[in-house]
Structure formats: C-alpha cells, structure tokens
Amino acid sequence: FARNAARYVQSSMPDCRVLSREAESARTLLASKQPHPKVYVEVHRVPGGRTRKRWLLEVAAGARGLIAISGGVRDDLVGLGIPEEQILVEHDGFEASRGAGLGREEARAKLGVTQDAKLVVYTGGLLEWKGVDLLVDAARELPELTFLIAGGMDADVAKLRARYLSGKDAGAPDNVRLDGFIAPKDVRDYLSAADLGIVPNRSKPAISAKYTSPLKVFEAMDAGLPLVVSDLPSLREILDDTEACYCAADDSAALGRAIAKVMGDEGLRASMSAKMNARAEDHSWDARAKRILDWMDTRE
C-alpha cells in the first residue's frame, strides 16, 4: 500500500510537497529514476529492526527534512547520525473544529454526574503503559472524589475490570466509573465536566517515557483543564510546573497525593487552567500545520 501510494503521488503530483508517515512511501519516492524533489518524513519512533532502520537512514539522506513527534525521537535520530538541523520537533495537537462543546453543567448532566461532584477524569487508551490501573488504585484512597475513566477497546476495559474481581484488588472502588470507548467527538464533554484531568503514564516502555506526545494533553489545553501528570521526559518537554502538577511515575500513592493537593486548592486549579488555555491556540492541528509549512519554506 505504501509503495502504491508513493507511485500514485509520483505520477499524479510530481511537484507537490510530500509529508510521509511511512519510510516505505518516502523510500519509493526517493529511489525512483526521477527522485521526488520535496519529500519530508514524520517520525514517531525510530524503528528497532535493522532493515527498517536502514530504510530510515536512506530516506533521511534524500529527504528535505524530518519531523520528530517529540524531543526523544529527535535525540534518537541524532544518535543515528542525522544532523539536528535537518530535524523539526512538532508535537501532536487538538482538533479546533470540534469547538467549545457543552458547558460544565450541561456536560455533567449528559454524563450523569451530579453538579456538586468533585470530578477527576481520564480520557484515552487503557494500554498498560498508560498507567490507568495506578489511577484506580489512587482512587481507593480518595473516596470523596469521583473518577470517570473514558476510553479503551472492549478487551482493554475487560482486562481492567477483571483486575478488580479477584485477589487483593477485589472490587473496583465505588467512586470509579469505567465508560469504555467513546467517540472522539464526545471527549470534550468529559473534559468540560471535569475539575481535574490525569495523565498517569508509566516510566516504561520508552514510548511512554521518551516518545509519546499525548493528544489528551493538548485537548486539556483547549478545555483549560488542569492536569496531574507523571514526571517523565515526554511530558516535561510539553508542560512546565505552573501548567501541571507532576508526580512520581509508577507510584499510585504519589499520584493520589498529587490529586488531593490540586483538588484541595481551587486557586491552584484556576491558575493552571488559565495557563493551559493560554497555550491552546499554538497547539491546534492547524497551528502545527502552519509551522511545518513555514519550516518547509526555509528548506526549499
């Protein structure tokens, strides 16, 4: 598929700029008898296998430039010998066209949450490295708060539920609700309803600590939602200490203390909310695209 897509571009749009997420497509464009003159490659992680790593190096040698999704990816590219000046770091973003969504009261009514609830929300996948199990454990010690977890495929939700049906973890805490997968258009309702958002990533694997650029962080910016996040390089390069409350990764007790601290300080939440919202405009997909296009202008 990647090679066929490249051939289509080569035959139908020989003068366009190409931004490829796949080394295979870029390699096909650059290896033809008439190499495409304006190929850029976005890299979300340096591949581990020898063959795909070799392809990436071949592509880097012929491409106009590379876009790294995080500083960790850039560092790995530089470690392969790719010049840093050839690389632009651009994180993920949020979809501005979804708009402001419902207000707090309306969002809570839609989600079946009482207006006086002290609401902590997580939206996103339930893979183990996302650390959602740590959030459930932290919730046990904070019975005065309500925790709403939205996201994950059916198998991931079932796995998380199963953990709380046996052994020492028997029974999910009464203050935790697992809503499972929700459509992207509905994520904003959860953020609008919340008092606090959580990004509890674990320190391993490397995708969590170094490479990820979580959509949920930028969606929280747009919603002006204060965050408690794991203290990891991948998150430190996005948020400073005035925009989020950091806690030790892999530690449910530390996570619980950070949640209690922020939820107990309305002024802190208001300050964090204002700082997050002030940055939102720079992190829409449209703003990201404009920066990338401006950078491309400098390389042609």
Side-chain angles (χ1 to χ4, degrees):
F1 175 84
R3 286 190 287 270
N4 284 339
R7 292 185 187 111
Y8 174 79
V9 169
Q10 190 77 307
S11 62
S12 303
M13 297 172 279
D15 298 320
C16 71
R17 284 171 169 166
V18 178
L19 176 57
S20 176
R21 281 278 300 272
E22 302 296 337
E24 291 89 340
S25 293
R27 187 167 175 260
T28 300
L29 287 166
L30 292 168
S32 64
K33 291 181 181 179
Q34 290 185 311
H36 198 288
K38 300 177 184 178
V39 175
Y40 298 85
V41 183
E42 183 168 303
V43 184
H44 285 223
R45 189 171 183 180
V46 171
R50 248 189 299 187
T51 298
R52 292 180 65 83
K53 193 174 290 185
R54 174 170 55 80
W55 289 354
L56 178 59
L57 286 170
E58 290 175 5
V59 165
R64 291 273 185 167
L66 280 71
I67 299 165
I69 198 67
S70 71
V73 173
R74 175 202 56 211
D75 294 345
D76 281 6
L77 291 171
V78 172
L80 289 178
I82 298 170
E84 187 169 355
E85 58 269 21
Q86 190 180 350
I87 305 167
L88 173 70
V89 175
E90 274 293 344
H91 289 275
D92 280 331
F94 69 90
E95 181 49 66
S97 66
R98 291 190 185 133
L102 299 176
R104 185 175 187 272
E105 292 184 4
E106 293 82 4
R108 287 188 171 212
K110 178 180 177 179
L111 298 176
V113 177
T114 60
Q115 297 298 329
D116 61 348
K118 297 177 180 178
L119 184 61
V120 179
V121 162
Y122 171 87
T123 59
L126 300 182
L127 297 174
E128 187 174 352
W129 61 267
K130 304 281 188 176
V132 181
D133 58 318
L134 298 168
L135 179 58
V136 177
D137 288 342
R140 290 183 182 282
E141 308 303 319
L142 298 166
E144 71 279 10
L145 305 181
T146 297
F147 292 78
L148 201 50
I149 297 172
M153 306 308 290
D154 290 347
D156 299 322
V157 176
K159 183 178 179 181
L160 187 60
R161 289 187 191 280
R163 174 180 170 177
Y164 299 100
L165 297 178
S166 62
K168 66 181 180 63
D169 292 324
D174 293 336
N175 59 336
V176 175
R177 194 176 100 189
L178 302 177
D179 280 10
F181 176 80
I182 59 171
K185 66 180 179 61
D186 295 326
V187 169
R188 183 55 184 260
D189 295 337
Y190 285 79
L191 304 182
S192 296
D195 295 304
L196 180 66
I198 311 294
V199 186
N201 284 21
R202 289 185 174 274
S203 61
K204 294 181 180 178
I207 188 174
S208 180
K210 291 179 61 178
Y211 304 133
T212 189
S213 182
L215 295 178
K216 62 177 68 67
V217 170
F218 306 106
E219 291 170 338
M221 284 183 185
D222 184 41
L225 182 65
L227 294 176
V228 167
V229 304
S230 297
D231 196 349
L232 298 171
S234 58
L235 293 165
R236 280 282 181 188
E237 68 177 85
I238 302 172
L239 300 166
D240 67 29
D241 289 299
T242 70
E243 297 162 335
C245 178
Y246 281 92
C247 66
D250 311 314
D251 187 336
S252 61
L255 177 60
R257 290 192 295 272
I259 291 171
K261 172 186 173 181
V262 179
M263 288 298 291
D265 190 335
E266 187 174 351
L268 175 60
R269 292 202 308 277
S271 173
M272 291 166 64
S273 174
K275 290 178 182 296
M276 288 283 279
N277 198 236
R279 289 189 58 194
E281 186 177 352
D282 290 335
H283 291 282
S284 69
W285 289 120
D286 288 346
R288 181 185 195 265
K290 184 179 186 307
R291 286 193 298 272
I292 290 173
L293 289 170
D294 289 346
W295 172 73
M296 289 176 174
D297 286 342
T298 69
R299 302 191 65 81
E300 295 176 2

